[in-house]
Amino acid sequence: MHLRGRHLPRPRRRGRSPQIALTHQQIAALAGTSRETTTKVLRDFADKQPIRLARGRISVLEREQLADHAGGS
């Protein structure tokens, strides 16, 4: 995976949900935004349930729904 020309760790699969092992601070640095903004956006996604947040991990629960929110396919 890439974000702004940087490599991201490949999602790990546990059961059926791929997991990404990144902190909010790491995602903020990759996206060029603040940790606070990143946390708000991730919580909004978690409330809509395409992802689940855990300490240092993001589980992708609904890939298609997440892609729709991100404007991709």
Side-chain angles (χ1 to χ4, degrees):
M1 295 175 70
H2 295 309
L3 182 64
R4 298 183 71 179
R6 300 179 189 191
H7 288 283
L8 298 178
R10 290 196 175 261
R12 292 182 291 163
R13 285 195 175 268
R14 284 197 174 173
R16 304 185 121 197
S17 299
Q19 293 186 349
I20 301 166
L22 289 172
T23 65
H24 294 193
Q25 184 64 45
Q26 291 168 320
I27 294 169
L30 290 168
T33 189
S34 69
R35 184 196 51 77
E36 293 82 5
T37 298
T38 299
T39 297
K40 180 185 180 314
V41 170
L42 289 172
R43 284 185 181 153
D44 287 347
F45 281 149
D47 288 345
K48 295 173 184 167
Q49 299 183 352
I51 65 170
R52 179 175 46 230
L53 301 175
R55 186 167 181 85
R57 279 193 323 266
I58 301 168
S59 298
V60 179
L61 305 175
E62 299 291 339
R63 186 177 178 153
E64 292 82 17
Q65 184 182 359
L66 184 60
D68 287 346
H69 285 295
S73 55

